[in-house]
Amino acid sequence: MSLYRRHLLAASAAGLTGLGARGVSAQAAWPNRAVAVMVPFAPGGSTDFVARLLAQELSTALGQQFVVDNRAGASGTVGMTFLARARPDGYTVGVVPNGTFAMAPAMFDRLPYDNETAFAPIGMLASNAMFLCVAPDSPHRSLADLLAASRAAPGTLSFASAGSGVANHLGPELLQDMADIRWLHVSYRSGAAGVQAVIAKETTLSFVDSVTAIPYLRDRTLRALGYSGSERSPQAPDVPTIAEQGFRDYRASTDFGFFAPAGTPEPIIEQLGTAMRRIMLSPATKARLEPLAIDPVGGTPAEFGPYAAAERAKWGALIRRRNIRPE
């Protein structure tokens, strides 16, 4: 059973009924106006999709508008700076991928915020693994073919990412590290631009999140050579995981955390967390996410801390070992 499914089961048993006296008190005063949901990337892509789904459902559940506010730049750290400096009153929250809260901090020598103390975790929302994709007429028909070509001509094959320090940059870096190969990294403004680069053969490959990849795979505009999750995707069961192709411990995904600025009153955190867990673990949400191979988690703040620490340690070690710097 994966870490994220354990999170899901734990959250399901964590007492999702009732807010307690403090939650009821907070509910009377908050929210009484619109809440901004910061996304540290441009519209489109998996983070924006999850944020908009959550914002729509929170608007219904809590009776005020939750409005997505996209603040892109610098591997998500522009948006995180905004969130860190926001007033901690419950009217600014953030949906943030692990590329920003666990990977990017190890890449930058200095950040305008303290990544360890500036944010109050509300919980884990969901997890979204990636497909290793090439053009449909690529000469590389399998991961083994791709690795053989990589070893034959080191540094000549390239991969597209949505920016330095994000999941589809460090996912390929982890595979290169484990396979002892070298690819050229080409950073684009977005994951969608990276996909177009692969289709146009500007780059050899890209790790594409499942939200983006599945429509391309279905119409055969992209071909997948592997899946970065711990189990095969039910939406593409014929695509083997990277782990089962000789890299047993390989796993990389975009995982979505829900945050508020540090100092946000605990009753508001509780109210947001309870509503979030009900939304993410509801049959209706699962039905919306399943076709996109997104795994809802609905985790708690207590679960989030150990997970975030493990992610920072894993990716920080890789960044230091490979001397990965912002580009």
Side-chain angles (χ1 to χ4, degrees):
M1 180 183 294
S2 72
L3 169 64
Y4 303 95
R5 294 190 184 281
R6 288 197 295 272
H7 275 303
L8 189 156
L9 292 174
S12 298
L16 302 183
T17 60
L19 297 174
R22 290 189 302 161
V24 172
S25 175
Q27 188 175 24
W30 178 93
N32 58 24
R33 56 184 171 87
V35 177
V37 181
M38 188 282 301
V39 174
F41 292 94
S46 56
T47 305
D48 188 66
F49 175 85
V50 171
R52 290 181 187 277
L53 182 154
L54 179 67
Q56 178 184 13
E57 296 300 326
L58 285 174
S59 297
T60 300
L62 298 180
Q64 291 289 342
Q65 286 297 306
F66 282 69
V67 182
V68 171
D69 181 9
N70 297 91
R71 292 180 178 262
S75 301
T77 60
V78 169
M80 289 300 267
T81 300
F82 169 79
L83 184 63
R85 294 174 177 172
R87 182 174 295 178
D89 57 6
Y91 290 98
T92 305
V93 294
V95 173
V96 183
N98 56 341
T100 299
F101 69 76
M103 300 176 185
M107 293 193 57
F108 293 90
D109 293 331
R110 299 182 66 181
L111 290 172
Y113 54 86
D114 186 331
N115 193 60
E116 304 291 331
T117 63
F119 311 105
I122 301 169
M124 177 78 80
L125 291 163
S127 179
N128 178 27
M130 300 172 286
F131 290 93
L132 192 173
C133 293
V134 297
D137 56 348
S138 167
H140 312 299
R141 307 294 301 180
S142 66
L143 179 57
D145 287 348
L146 183 67
L147 297 182
S150 303
R151 294 185 177 108
T156 60
L157 276 62
S158 59
F159 73 95
S161 84
S164 298
V166 299
N168 80 330
H169 172 204
L170 294 188
E173 293 285 358
L174 178 60
L175 181 55
Q176 290 175 82
D177 192 63
M178 296 176 74
D180 193 23
I181 57 173
R182 181 164 55 89
W183 294 329
L184 175 66
H185 174 218
V186 184
S187 178
Y188 288 83
R189 292 177 60 87
S190 67
V195 167
Q196 294 306 313
V198 173
I199 293 172
K201 298 184 180 177
E202 294 174 8
T203 58
T204 309
L205 66 114
S206 184
F207 277 48
V208 184
D209 67 75
S210 61
V211 173
T212 304
I214 286 173
Y216 287 100
L217 298 179
R218 286 176 177 162
D219 67 14
R220 300 186 180 182
T221 312
L222 289 174
R223 177 151 42 87
L225 305 184
Y227 186 60
S228 72
S230 57
E231 301 172 359
R232 293 193 184 197
S233 168
Q235 301 305 317
D238 293 336
V239 179
T241 66
I242 293 171
E244 68 186 272
Q245 297 184 76
F247 303 95
R248 185 181 63 181
D249 296 327
Y250 185 90
R251 186 186 184 281
S253 62
T254 300
D255 303 325
F256 309 98
F258 193 24
F259 293 88
T264 300
E266 187 61 29
I268 293 176
I269 297 292
E270 290 178 3
Q271 191 172 347
L272 280 165
T274 299
M276 178 273 285
R277 288 188 287 277
R278 286 173 173 161
I279 290 165
M280 297 309 297
L281 299 179
S282 72
T285 296
K286 292 179 183 180
R288 290 183 66 180
L289 296 181
E290 184 178 8
L292 300 170
I294 298 178
D295 185 14
V297 177
T300 67
E303 295 167 334
F304 195 92
Y307 155 77
E311 284 287 282
R312 287 194 298 268
K314 171 183 175 178
W315 297 109
L318 177 72
I319 289 165
R320 290 187 294 272
R321 187 165 62 247
R322 295 184 64 80
N323 192 31
I324 301 170
R325 309 307 301 165
E327 298 177 8

